[in-house]
Amino acid sequence: MNAYKKYIAELVGTFALVFIAAGSVCADFYLRQAGGQGLGLLGISIAFGVVVTAVIYATSYVSGSHVNPAVTISFWITKRMDPNTAIMYIISQIAGATLAGLALKTLFPDAVKTVYLGTCMLAPGVSIARGILMEFIISFLLIFTIYGTLVDKRASAGFAGVAIGLVILFGAMIGGIISGGAMNPARVFGPAIASGQFTHHYVWWIGPILGGIVAGFVYDKLFADSKKS
């Protein structure tokens, strides 16, 4: 039963993340369509960072608050998680992201074929390699921060959510104008499956997953103590 609690926590946490992060893009579109100023990149980035902070404080004691396949794969590769549990985490995350995408499709029908329910797309003129590199860098920074604050037992308790949320906020701001600043395959997958927009979708799997794997190895080799964190 405890294992199922973890999977449910990952599903609910990923649902919340995708619903708020992608939903803020939909809300921005509706506000602009009505003649308002909209949320803008800063407002969308703040929403993304704040929801991640909230999810960490709400579910980290249950599942560790991965809510991101790139995080789970990094833990798997660095032997912090067994394969079966990792696969169930990823399934739960994908399910939560899909449900969030379908909920947004119901609530924001005009955003389906316009902003594609907030799924990420490469900015005009941005190459695939450049998009992957951006997602790699900001995902590396995010997952490195997760290791240093949420995983490492030497870190000060209680500040992980804030630190990770800030990295998400700034990563979304910087990456937003190039690749959308997702740092999370599930963040893109949910809105993509609901809107049918899968152009260059692999960018948001390759970049974050590679960034997460490298972050895990770098942390283990250079910063972790002799006993696995």
Side-chain angles (χ1 to χ4, degrees):
M1 184 62 187
N2 287 334
Y4 286 106
K5 288 181 181 179
K6 293 180 180 181
Y7 307 146
I8 292 169
E10 286 296 304
L11 186 151
V12 172
T14 309
F15 176 93
L17 184 156
V18 175
F19 185 80
I20 298 299
S24 64
V25 178
C26 299
D28 177 73
F29 168 74
Y30 270 69
L31 288 169
R32 292 179 185 276
Q33 193 178 48
Q37 189 174 8
L39 300 176
L41 179 59
L42 177 59
I44 292 168
S45 300
I46 290 172
F48 194 2
V50 169
V51 71
V52 169
T53 299
V55 167
I56 287 171
Y57 287 125
T59 66
S60 62
Y61 65 95
V62 179
S63 68
S65 272
H66 290 197
V67 294
N68 184 340
V71 174
T72 300
I73 291 170
S74 180
F75 276 44
W76 180 0
I77 295 297
T78 57
K79 298 184 165 92
R80 287 179 169 84
M81 177 173 280
D82 67 85
N84 291 334
T85 302
I87 290 168
M88 289 303 300
Y89 266 46
I90 293 169
I91 291 171
S92 300
Q93 292 155 5
I94 293 300
T98 301
L99 290 173
L102 295 174
L104 291 172
K105 184 176 183 178
T106 301
L107 295 168
F108 298 100
D110 291 343
V112 175
K113 296 303 179 184
T114 49
V115 293
Y116 305 108
L117 298 174
T119 196
C120 294
M121 297 184 68
L122 297 177
V126 172
S127 68
I128 292 170
R130 191 173 159 203
I132 290 174
L133 179 60
M134 173 58 80
E135 289 295 324
F136 173 89
I137 292 171
I138 57 180
S139 299
F140 172 91
L141 295 173
L142 166 63
I143 296 172
F144 184 87
T145 303
I146 289 172
Y147 277 103
T149 61
L150 199 59
V151 177
D152 199 318
K153 304 305 180 188
R154 299 169 297 173
S156 299
F159 292 101
V162 174
I164 294 165
L166 286 173
V167 174
I168 288 279
L169 191 161
F170 292 121
M173 283 182 61
I174 294 168
I177 59 173
I178 293 178
S179 64
M183 299 164 276
N184 184 338
R187 155 69 183 86
V188 184
F189 181 82
I193 201 166
S195 67
Q197 174 53 260
F198 283 96
T199 304
H200 303 135
H201 185 70
Y202 52 86
V203 166
W204 295 278
W205 287 87
I206 294 172
I209 289 172
L210 289 180
I213 291 172
V214 173
F217 281 124
V218 168
Y219 197 88
D220 276 353
K221 294 296 183 185
L222 300 179
F223 298 96
D225 58 15
S226 56
K227 186 183 291 186
K228 181 79 78 174
S229 299

